[in-house]
Each structure stands twice: as C-alpha cells, then as structure tokens.
Amino acid sequence: MSIQTHRAERLPAQPGSVEFDADVLVLGGGPAGTWAAVSAAERGARVLLADKGFCGTSGATAAAGTGVWYIDPDPALREAAMANREKMGGYLQDRRWMARVLDRTYQQSNRLADWGYPYPVDEHGRSQRNSLQGPEYMRLMRKRTKQAGVAILDHSPALELLVDDNGAVAGASGVRRQKQDRWTVRAKAVVIATGGCAFLSKTLGSNVLTGDGYLMAAEAGAEFTSMEFSNPYAISPAFGSVTKTLFYGWATFTYADGSVVPGAASKGGRSAIARALLRGPVYARLDKADDGVQRHMRVSQPNFFLPFDRTGIDPFRDRFPVTLRLEGTVRGTGGLRIIDDACATSLPGLYAAGDAATRELICGGFTGGGSHNAAWAMSSGLWAGQGAADYARQIGTTTARRLLSAATVAFRDRPRRAFDPAALAKAVQGEVFPYELNYFRDASRLNGALARLDAGWRDVAEAGPADPADVFRAREAAAMLATARWMYRSALARQESRGMHRRDDFPDQDGRQRHYVTTGGLDEVWTSVRPHADAVHAEAAE
Amino acid sequence: MIEVIDAERCTSCDICVTACPTNVFDKTDGIPVIARQSDCQTCFLCELYCPEDALYVSPFADEAQLIDVVMLKRTDVLGSYRRAVGWTDDTRDRRGVDRSYLLFGH
Ligand SMILES: Cc1cc2nc3c(=O)[nH]c(=O)nc-3n(C[C@H](O)[C@H](O)[C@H](O)COP(=O)(O)OP(=O)(O)OC[C@H]3O[C@@H](n4cnc5c(N)ncnc54)[C@H](O)[C@@H]3O)c2cc1C
Ligand code: SF4
Ligand code: SF4
C-alpha cells in the first residue's frame, strides 16, 4: 500500500524569485519545525519548510544534543517528574500541559526508536530514551521530513510574514542565500519554529537564532509571554563555544589565585560564578569525576571534549578559564503566546512551536538542564503541525486572496537613514550581555538600558541597510533589538524575583505576582498581566 | 572557527557548502573556499559531514588562529569528531553508546 502524499506546488514567478503554494508553511527546521512538518504532512497537508541554515545541522539541538523529559507512564514517576521542578519554575507551570507533554514526548521518542534512532541499551537490556545526540537526531528528522513529502528550502531565511485583507497570516517571503534570489510561499497556515534568540553570543549552534520569528509575528500583531525569563547564561571554556553545562556538576570553580569561589556551582550556584566573573577570571577543573564517570562523559558528549583535546587541556586535571554566555530565550522560557491545545497564536493562521513559543506552561520561569525544552519542541511541533493542517483544511480554497507584506523595519527604506546591521547587533549585545544588566536586574539599570534600546528602535524603525544585500542581517539585528525590549519591559513589570528572573531591588518571590506577564508592540512596547490557571480555577470554584 | 580545508584530501564534493548552517563556505570551480569565516559559529558540524576528513575547526570561537597544516596532519585530529560520534565505517558501534542516563541527576 502506498500512502498518498501531497506536495507544495511551484508557481510561475518574476525573474529573481521563486514562488510556491502550500497548505502549511513551516519556518525553521530544528526539532520543532521538522516534527511540525511531518505531522502536518501526515494529516494530508501540502507542506513546505524553509530554514535559515541547513535543516539537519541548523539550530541549537543539531549542534548541542539534548536530554529529553522522557518518563515512563507510571503515575508515581510522572507525578514526581512534574512536582520536582515546580519550585524552581516559580509555580508558573500548568499541570495539565505538563501531563500532555509527558505523554506526547513518550510517544514521539518511541516513534524515533521505530524510525531507527540508535538509543543505547543499558546493562539490563533496556533501551534508554532520555538523551538525543544532536547530529544523529536531526539527520534522521531531515530524512523523515523528506520522506513525508515535505519540500525543504535550505539556506532560505524567512524575512517577513504575508497577511490577507482580514489580517490572517497567509504565507511568508524571504531570500535564498545561495541562489541570491527571493522566495515567496502562499500558504493557508504558517508555523513559526524559528527557535529562540541567543543574541549572536556563540552559545553552541545558536548564531542562527536571532529572534527573527518573533519580529515577523510581532509585525503581524502577535503577543509574547514570560519574556522576563530570558536570561539564562551557560558555562563554557572562556575561549570556546561549547556551552554544555551538565559536566560542570563535577567541577570546582576557583579564582586566579587558586582559592575556591564560595558558593559556585553549575546548578544552584551559577550566580556566584557570574559575580566572580565581574571581578576577574574564573577557572574550572572537573576534579570530582572519577574514572568511570570520565569514561561515560567521553562517549556521551564527544563535542564537550573538542575544545580541550584541541588545546591540550586535560579538563579533569588542569584548570581552564570559563565564561558565561547568554542563551536568551533558547534556554529561557519566553516566546510567542499560544492560546489553545493546538499551539495557535493570537493571530488567525499562525501557529508556534519549540523555542519560538513560550515554555511557561511546562517550565514556568526556569529551564536549563531539565530536558523540558526538547520535550516541548517535539510535542508542540507535533501539535502545531496538526493544528495548522486542520486549519488549512477548514478554510478551504484561498486562490483569490490578495497578500500584503506585514514587514516594517528594513523594508521601508529611507535611503538617507541607512543603518549598519553589525553595529546595531553589537549595540544590542552591549545591553543584554553584561551580567550587571541582565543576570542581576534592577529598575534603574533596566530603565537605562531600555531608554537606549528604545532610542535605537526609533533610529532604525523607518530605515534599512545601505546595501540591499544586507536586508537579511538588518532583519536579524532588528529582531534582536525588539526581543531585548520585550525582555526588559517584562522584567520591569515583574517586581519580584521568580524563576531565573532576579531583581536586586526585589530579591524575594511575591505570592501576589504568581501571574504571567504578556508583552508585545514594536514602536510602543506594552505589558499586561494574566492570571495563572490555578487562580482562574479558584475563582470559578467560588 | 573553521580554519582549514585540506586541498590534498578535499574532493570538491561541496557537501560542506550545503551542510554548514551559517553559510560560511562558497563553491568554486575547484575546492570550496572559506568565504565568511567570521560568520562561523564553531559548531563543528561541517567536520561530521565531510566524507574526506578534510576540514579542521579550531575550538577558538572568537578569534582566528594560525594553523600549521603539516603539523596538524601528523596528529589524528582530522576526522576525530566524526570518529567519536560513530559516523565512520569502522566506528559505527559508537552511535549507540550514549551513557547520559548514568550522568543525569548528578
Ligand atoms: C548548548 C545547548 C544545550 C542544550 N541542552 C538541552 C538539553 O539538554 N535539554 C533540553 O531540553 N534542551 C536543551 N537545549 C535547548 C534546546 O536545544 C532547544 O530548546 C531546542 O533546540 C528547540 O528546538 P527548536 O526547533 O525550537 O529550535 P532550534 O533547534 O534552535 O531550531 C530553530 C531553527 O530555525 C531556523 N531559523 C531561525 N531563523 C529563521 C528564519 N528567519 N527563517 C527560517 N528559519 C529560521 C534555524 O536555522 C534553526 O534550524 C540546549 C540548548 C543549547 C544551546
Ligand atoms: S565536504 Fe570535505 S571533501 Fe567535500 S568539498 Fe567540503 S571539504 Fe571538500
Ligand atoms: S563549524 Fe559550524 S559554522 Fe563553522 S564552518 Fe563548520 S559547520 Fe559552518
């Protein structure tokens, strides 16, 4: 028996551009995007996936690999898995969503096993499924995406969303970097799976993640939530890019003189490392790992050792300098607000998955080292793909729709006011990298940064790059700028410390602020609060 | 950052041009060139995709390094990441040896 696949169609187009017609367009080809594409295609949709880089190597998962929140369907184990992170996340998780993500992740992981993912087998002969090697996983996902009949455009960043006369999202357009032309896809529904925003910090695999999807969605009017939880910093050798932090659980952190940094630890003591780095270099040595652990480390994360093996450092015996690189919303929990179980956003026709969407529902205000992001990417990807396919079927024929660009910055060129994308990106980094601004927050410092960022936005909002070939970079820098403003505006709105958000001027968690902060807007950034689901239920019961 | 395309080993298959997520390489009539080194994100993935072990990514993420290719080829570093993840014919068994489950929760 052969399964009928439906494919996106190529349409006639102007010279210098290509055009396609699809039911579902997926932007981003990491785990969230590929799962979305496969699940939409399995629902009978004609699907096209566009990735900024190469679907299979691009994004945080492909380069880094992930632990996965894979828990056997034993009620006691599931209950413990949900309960043990609630405090860390500041009690902002939603139990119903946690339960459905645990279910989904279990099923998806087992599907990966059926597809031939080489899960390791333990000494009792049991297949262990709570870790995925990045290159292996994403190579398999690319293969399955193609087999599902999905057309893939590689090296094809999306730059703007297209909307119809009613404001419904109806496609996107971008550039093909290796062909030096433009692409346009008319679609009935769009899934944003462009990952988070790591501000070009070189945290592993994340320089393709500049918040592009946020900017595009905001221009069309979408909302964000939990953007204050966007300041995780990851440990790496000072000179390197490998921000994999698990093994630093076996490290001792020291000052230049060899004395131990008090309170410093990978888990629960990272702020002590940040404070020490504000004063001078900090060194690490993985001296708590015995021979057996060292052997397991080598085979489990071969890329962790590349910076050491290639510089002659023995990380178990030698001290090496470390730094903390900002990971923004990649290991934060903020993102596009989703409004239903199918991961629809507040805009008709637009769905969000993975790091592009909020992870507040399962992580609250804290993630990192928890395997939740990977579980969320595969679960939300599947739901968004199915939701988009169902929506596309329901709206029926759309051939007559007139499509308009939703894009603003870099698309409304005023040639006299050109800006340099690299300089803008650097200016944004100057506001979001410093630990004293972003790790340790405070109203006066946040206000200072926001004043500069808002002024930056006024400068570029109506401008573009001098060279049209730089539109792609200009959009990246503008997306970073917009993301920084939602992040800090939300951080000001939360006048307490909760999850990863810490305020020097409000060091405690405040029981009355167990709510979500919503944000959005470009020229004017706004915030508002939404109650947590428990508060809603409590009111309903009264 | 990416530092070396070894002209002796490279067969101009252009796989690296396609596989690099940040579009660092350009095709030419012969072997590819590192056209935008400063865009390299030091993810090491091109090394995994090069079938000839002709690429070397230096672990220094922020600055370029001078590399002595002759010395480099006297070591076994070329292809070392590909062998470690089990993506060569004689290291296939390493694809399924992840022991993360013994290390989580430390
Ligand atoms: C070092 C590191 C270690 C991590 N470890 C863990 C872990 O152990 N457990 C865990 O749960 N999570 C972990 N994470 C987080 C996890 O990797 C992410 O949550 C996950 O990759 C999210 O998947 P995604 O598909 O949403 O995004 P990504 O995997 O980042 O993929 C996004 C894709 O979108 C593409 N894209 C971006 N912009 C555009 C555009 N304009 N147009 C088209 N395409 C675009 C990118 O090229 C990329 O392919 C880690 C992250 C890092 C950085
Ligand atoms: S992948 Fe390797 S062999 Fe192929 S072109 Fe690139 S460097 Fe040469
Ligand atoms: S290390 Fe990564 S970013 Fe750099 S050239 Fe290789 S694949 Fe491209």
Side-chain angles (χ1 to χ4, degrees), chain A residues 454-491:
Chain A
D454 288 347
W457 182 263
R458 284 193 297 275
D459 277 349
V460 302
E462 296 282 313
D467 181 351
D470 286 342
V471 170
F472 157 60
R473 293 294 183 208
R475 293 287 289 175
E476 287 189 331
M480 286 168 49
L481 175 58
T483 305
R485 291 168 70 227
W486 296 315
M487 188 165 114
Y488 280 173
R489 204 60 85 193
S490 303

Coordinates of all heavy atoms in Angstrom, one line a residue, chain A residues 454-491:
Chain A
D454 N 15.2 51.8 23.2 CA 14.0 52.5 22.6 C 14.5 53.5 21.6 O 14.0 53.6 20.5 CB 13.1 53.1 23.6 CG 12.3 52.1 24.4 OD1 12.3 50.9 24.0 OD2 11.7 52.5 25.5
A455 N 15.6 54.2 22.0 CA 16.1 55.2 21.1 C 16.7 54.5 19.8 O 16.5 55.0 18.7 CB 17.3 56.0 21.8
G456 N 17.3 53.4 20.0 CA 17.8 52.6 18.9 C 16.7 52.2 18.0 O 16.8 52.2 16.8
W457 N 15.6 51.8 18.6 CA 14.4 51.4 17.7 C 13.9 52.6 16.9 O 13.7 52.4 15.7 CB 13.3 50.8 18.6 CG 12.2 50.4 17.7 CD1 11.0 51.1 17.4 CD2 12.1 49.2 16.9 NE1 10.2 50.4 16.5 CE2 10.9 49.2 16.2 CE3 12.9 48.1 16.8 CZ2 10.5 48.2 15.3 CZ3 12.5 47.0 15.9 CH2 11.3 47.1 15.2
R458 N 13.8 53.7 17.5 CA 13.3 54.9 16.8 C 14.3 55.2 15.6 O 13.9 55.6 14.5 CB 13.2 56.1 17.7 CG 12.0 56.1 18.6 CD 11.7 57.4 19.3 NE 12.8 57.8 20.2 CZ 12.9 57.4 21.5 NH1 12.0 56.6 22.0 NH2 13.9 57.8 22.2
D459 N 15.6 55.0 15.8 CA 16.6 55.2 14.7 C 16.4 54.3 13.5 O 16.6 54.7 12.4 CB 18.0 55.0 15.3 CG 18.5 56.2 16.0 OD1 17.9 57.2 15.9 OD2 19.6 56.0 16.6
V460 N 16.0 53.0 13.8 CA 16.0 52.1 12.7 C 14.6 51.7 12.2 O 14.5 51.2 11.1 CB 16.7 50.7 13.1 CG1 18.2 51.0 13.5 CG2 16.0 50.0 14.1
A461 N 13.6 52.1 12.9 CA 12.2 51.6 12.6 C 11.8 51.9 11.2 O 11.2 51.1 10.5 CB 11.2 52.1 13.6
E462 N 12.2 53.1 10.7 CA 11.8 53.5 9.4 C 13.0 53.3 8.4 O 12.9 53.9 7.3 CB 11.4 55.0 9.4 CG 10.2 55.2 10.2 CD 8.9 54.8 9.5 OE1 8.8 55.2 8.3 OE2 8.1 54.1 10.1
A463 N 14.1 52.7 8.8 CA 15.3 52.7 8.0 C 15.5 51.3 7.4 O 14.8 50.3 7.7 CB 16.4 53.2 8.8
G464 N 16.6 51.2 6.7 CA 17.0 49.9 6.2 C 18.6 49.9 6.0 O 19.2 51.0 6.4
P465 N 19.2 48.8 5.6 CA 20.6 48.8 5.4 C 21.0 49.6 4.1 O 20.2 49.7 3.2 CB 20.9 47.4 5.2 CG 19.7 46.8 4.6 CD 18.6 47.6 5.2
A466 N 22.2 50.1 4.1 CA 22.6 50.9 2.9 C 22.6 49.9 1.7 O 22.2 50.3 0.6 CB 24.0 51.4 3.1
D467 N 23.1 48.7 1.9 CA 23.2 47.8 0.8 C 22.0 46.8 0.8 O 21.9 46.1 1.8 CB 24.5 47.0 0.9 CG 24.7 46.0 -0.2 OD1 23.8 45.8 -1.0 OD2 25.9 45.5 -0.3
P468 N 21.2 46.7 -0.2 CA 20.0 45.8 -0.2 C 20.4 44.3 0.1 O 19.6 43.6 0.7 CB 19.4 45.9 -1.6 CG 20.0 47.1 -2.2 CD 21.3 47.5 -1.5
A469 N 21.6 44.0 -0.2 CA 22.1 42.6 0.1 C 22.1 42.3 1.6 O 22.2 41.2 2.0 CB 23.5 42.4 -0.6
D470 N 22.1 43.4 2.4 CA 22.2 43.2 3.8 C 20.9 43.2 4.5 O 20.8 43.2 5.8 CB 23.0 44.4 4.5 CG 24.5 44.2 4.2 OD1 24.9 43.1 3.8 OD2 25.2 45.3 4.3
V471 N 19.8 43.1 3.8 CA 18.4 43.1 4.4 C 18.3 41.9 5.4 O 17.8 42.1 6.5 CB 17.3 43.0 3.4 CG1 16.0 42.8 4.1 CG2 17.2 44.3 2.6
F472 N 18.8 40.8 5.1 CA 18.8 39.6 6.0 C 19.5 39.9 7.3 O 18.9 39.7 8.4 CB 19.4 38.4 5.2 CG 19.9 37.3 6.1 CD1 19.1 36.6 6.9 CD2 21.3 37.0 6.0 CE1 19.6 35.6 7.7 CE2 21.8 35.9 6.7 CZ 21.0 35.2 7.6
R473 N 20.7 40.5 7.3 CA 21.4 40.8 8.5 C 20.7 42.0 9.3 O 20.7 42.0 10.5 CB 22.8 41.3 8.2 CG 23.7 40.1 7.7 CD 23.9 39.1 8.8 NE 24.8 38.0 8.3 CZ 24.8 36.8 8.7 NH1 23.9 36.4 9.6 NH2 25.6 35.9 8.3
A474 N 20.1 42.9 8.5 CA 19.4 44.0 9.1 C 18.2 43.5 9.9 O 17.9 44.0 11.0 CB 19.0 45.0 8.1
R475 N 17.5 42.5 9.3 CA 16.3 42.0 10.0 C 16.7 41.2 11.3 O 16.1 41.3 12.3 CB 15.6 41.0 9.0 CG 14.9 41.8 7.9 CD 13.7 42.6 8.3 NE 12.6 41.7 8.6 CZ 11.4 42.2 9.1 NH1 11.2 43.5 9.3 NH2 10.4 41.3 9.4
E476 N 17.9 40.5 11.2 CA 18.4 39.8 12.4 C 18.6 40.8 13.5 O 18.2 40.6 14.7 CB 19.7 39.0 12.1 CG 19.5 37.8 11.2 CD 20.7 37.0 11.1 OE1 21.9 37.6 11.2 OE2 20.7 35.8 10.9
A477 N 19.4 41.9 13.2 CA 19.7 42.8 14.2 C 18.5 43.5 14.8 O 18.4 43.7 16.0 CB 20.7 43.9 13.6
A478 N 17.5 43.8 13.9 CA 16.3 44.4 14.4 C 15.5 43.5 15.3 O 14.9 43.9 16.2 CB 15.5 44.9 13.2
A479 N 15.5 42.2 14.9 CA 14.8 41.2 15.7 C 15.5 41.1 17.1 O 14.8 41.0 18.2 CB 14.8 39.9 15.1
M480 N 16.8 41.2 17.2 CA 17.5 41.2 18.5 C 17.1 42.4 19.3 O 16.8 42.3 20.5 CB 19.0 41.1 18.3 CG 19.5 39.8 17.8 SD 21.3 39.9 17.3 CE 22.1 40.7 18.5
L481 N 17.0 43.5 18.6 CA 16.6 44.8 19.3 C 15.2 44.7 19.9 O 15.0 45.0 21.0 CB 16.8 45.9 18.3 CG 16.3 47.3 18.8 CD1 17.1 47.8 20.0 CD2 16.5 48.3 17.6
A482 N 14.3 44.2 19.1 CA 12.9 44.1 19.5 C 12.8 43.1 20.7 O 12.1 43.4 21.7 CB 12.0 43.6 18.3
T483 N 13.5 42.0 20.6 CA 13.5 41.0 21.6 C 14.0 41.6 23.0 O 13.4 41.3 24.0 CB 14.3 39.7 21.2 OG1 13.8 39.3 20.0 CG2 14.2 38.6 22.3
A484 N 15.1 42.3 22.9 CA 15.7 42.9 24.1 C 14.6 43.8 24.8 O 14.5 43.9 26.0 CB 16.9 43.7 23.7
R485 N 13.9 44.5 24.0 CA 12.9 45.5 24.5 C 11.7 44.8 25.2 O 11.3 45.1 26.3 CB 12.4 46.5 23.4 CG 13.6 47.4 23.0 CD 13.2 48.2 21.8 NE 12.2 49.2 22.0 CZ 11.1 49.4 21.2 NH1 10.9 48.6 20.2 NH2 10.2 50.3 21.5
W486 N 11.2 43.7 24.6 CA 10.2 42.9 25.3 C 10.7 42.3 26.6 O 10.0 42.2 27.6 CB 9.6 41.8 24.3 CG 9.0 42.3 23.1 CD1 8.1 43.3 23.0 CD2 9.2 41.8 21.8 NE1 7.7 43.5 21.7 CE2 8.4 42.6 20.9 CE3 10.0 40.8 21.2 CZ2 8.3 42.4 19.5 CZ3 9.9 40.7 19.8 CH2 9.1 41.4 19.0
M487 N 11.9 41.8 26.5 CA 12.6 41.2 27.6 C 12.7 42.1 28.8 O 12.2 41.8 29.9 CB 13.9 40.7 27.1 CG 14.8 39.9 27.9 SD 16.1 39.3 26.7 CE 17.5 40.1 27.4
Y488 N 13.2 43.3 28.6 CA 13.5 44.2 29.7 C 12.2 44.9 30.1 O 12.0 45.2 31.3 CB 14.5 45.3 29.3 CG 15.9 44.8 29.4 CD1 17.0 45.5 29.0 CD2 16.2 43.5 30.0 CE1 18.3 45.1 29.1 CE2 17.5 43.1 30.1 CZ 18.6 43.9 29.6 OH 19.9 43.4 29.7
R489 N 11.2 45.2 29.2 CA 9.9 45.8 29.6 C 9.2 44.8 30.6 O 8.7 45.1 31.6 CB 9.1 46.0 28.4 CG 8.1 47.1 28.4 CD 8.5 48.5 28.8 NE 9.0 49.2 27.6 CZ 9.7 50.4 27.7 NH1 10.0 50.9 28.9 NH2 10.1 51.0 26.6
S490 N 9.3 43.5 30.2 CA 8.6 42.5 31.0 C 9.4 42.3 32.4 O 8.8 42.1 33.4 CB 8.6 41.1 30.3 OG 8.0 41.2 29.1
A491 N 10.7 42.5 32.3 CA 11.5 42.4 33.6 C 11.2 43.5 34.5 O 11.1 43.3 35.7 CB 13.0 42.4 33.2

